[in-house]
Amino acid sequence: MSLFSQLEFRYAVYLAADLPPDIGTEVAFAGRSNAGKSTAINALAHRKKLAFVSKTPGRTQCLVFFDMGHHRHLVDLPGYGYAAVPGREQDRWTELISTYITQRKALKLLVLVADARQGITPHDRYLLDWLAPTAKPVHVLLTKADKLTRREAEQALQDASGAIADYPGDISIQLFSGLRKTGVLQAQAQIAKWMKQ
Ligand code: GDP
């Protein structure tokens, strides 16, 4: 059975102190708000609304855990890059995400979702820089590839590959479209590879 066929919402976590026990295997999804993260998760899970539970009011600034069965979880990290978030909220967000990213033993793979038209942004770099000392594997989805011509998409892939080349761990990148469902099998295969180890 596919890793993604049994995804179920499990917990929403607002504070680093409330994270569930650090056991099992987790794959976390991160990305700038509006990059297409929820659409990507739904496309991978072949579901329409699953990841949008993370967007219900009050849940936009928390970590959302989805159960994949057999002690595996998909973790939806709150989107970043909203200037509108007040200072205090921003601090809480930074603490929650940085604690999770830097300390979580169960985290086996970070999937970084970036809009192919914007490439790797400074916020994405922050996240990679936090993760760098752990050298954990990262897989980048350049989403909304359907909005680019083939040539533009190839250029975007090349530029983004250059922007992440200095990451010290295993890092891979691909074009993706949650809307057209292109790149779904490739992304699923990458995730399955790290989740099984
Ligand atoms: P999130 O904030 O990162 O979770 O982003 P969403 O998944 O909510 O997507 C933000 C907007 O981009 C929505 O209007 C989506 O319909 C649109 N979108 C997401 N993925 C794609 C894609 O692959 N192609 C296109 N054309 N639009 C997309």
Side-chain angles (χ1 to χ4, degrees):
M1 200 193 277
S2 152
L3 195 56
F4 299 89
S5 57
Q6 29 183 345
L7 277 178
E8 291 299 334
F9 169 75
R10 194 56 77 209
Y11 341 87
V13 175
Y14 294 82
L15 296 169
D18 294 336
L19 282 164
D22 192 358
I23 47 171
T25 310
E26 292 168 6
V27 54
F29 280 68
R32 210 182 137 87
S33 301
N34 220 37
K37 178 163 59 72
S38 308
T39 306
I41 294 172
N42 287 328
L44 292 168
H46 301 298
R47 300 272 279 274
K48 286 205 170 70
K49 290 197 181 137
L50 185 74
F52 290 109
V53 298
S54 324
K55 293 202 156 184
T56 49
R59 282 223 185 112
T60 51
Q61 292 298 310
C62 63
L63 267 62
V64 179
F65 282 69
F66 295 96
D67 198 333
M68 300 172 101
H70 303 284
H71 305 289
R72 293 177 299 212
H73 289 95
L74 186 157
V75 184
D76 190 3
L77 304 182
Y80 42 85
Y82 263 139
V85 177
R88 267 248 187 93
E89 266 296 286
Q90 196 95 39
D91 292 348
R92 191 181 62 84
W93 182 92
T94 305
E95 200 216 324
L96 182 58
I97 302 259
S98 65
T99 302
Y100 178 81
I101 293 267
T102 58
Q103 296 178 18
R104 191 78 174 167
K105 292 189 195 73
L107 177 64
K108 302 297 182 224
L109 173 71
L110 179 77
V111 177
L112 181 60
V113 180
D115 187 324
R117 296 167 301 174
Q118 292 170 2
I120 305 297
T121 66
H123 281 93
D124 300 323
R125 275 306 322 189
Y126 267 131
L127 216 70
L128 289 177
D129 292 345
W130 276 337
L131 196 62
T134 72
K136 283 189 183 172
V138 176
H139 186 61
V140 181
L141 296 182
L142 284 181
T143 53
K144 309 193 191 181
D146 57 276
K147 293 202 178 195
L148 300 178
T149 64
R150 194 178 215 153
R151 202 162 176 191
E152 288 168 338
E154 283 310 317
Q155 188 62 51
L157 185 62
Q158 205 174 317
D159 292 347
S161 300
I164 57 170
D166 61 344
Y167 181 75
D170 211 310
I171 191 158
S172 48
I173 184 164
Q174 67 163 105
L175 291 163
F176 188 90
S177 166
L179 192 76
R180 296 265 164 81
K181 314 265 190 295
T182 49
V184 169
L185 286 178
Q186 189 184 348
Q188 286 177 335
Q190 271 298 323
I191 294 166
K193 173 180 147 189
W194 293 108
M195 294 294 275
K196 280 181 186 149
Q197 291 191 354

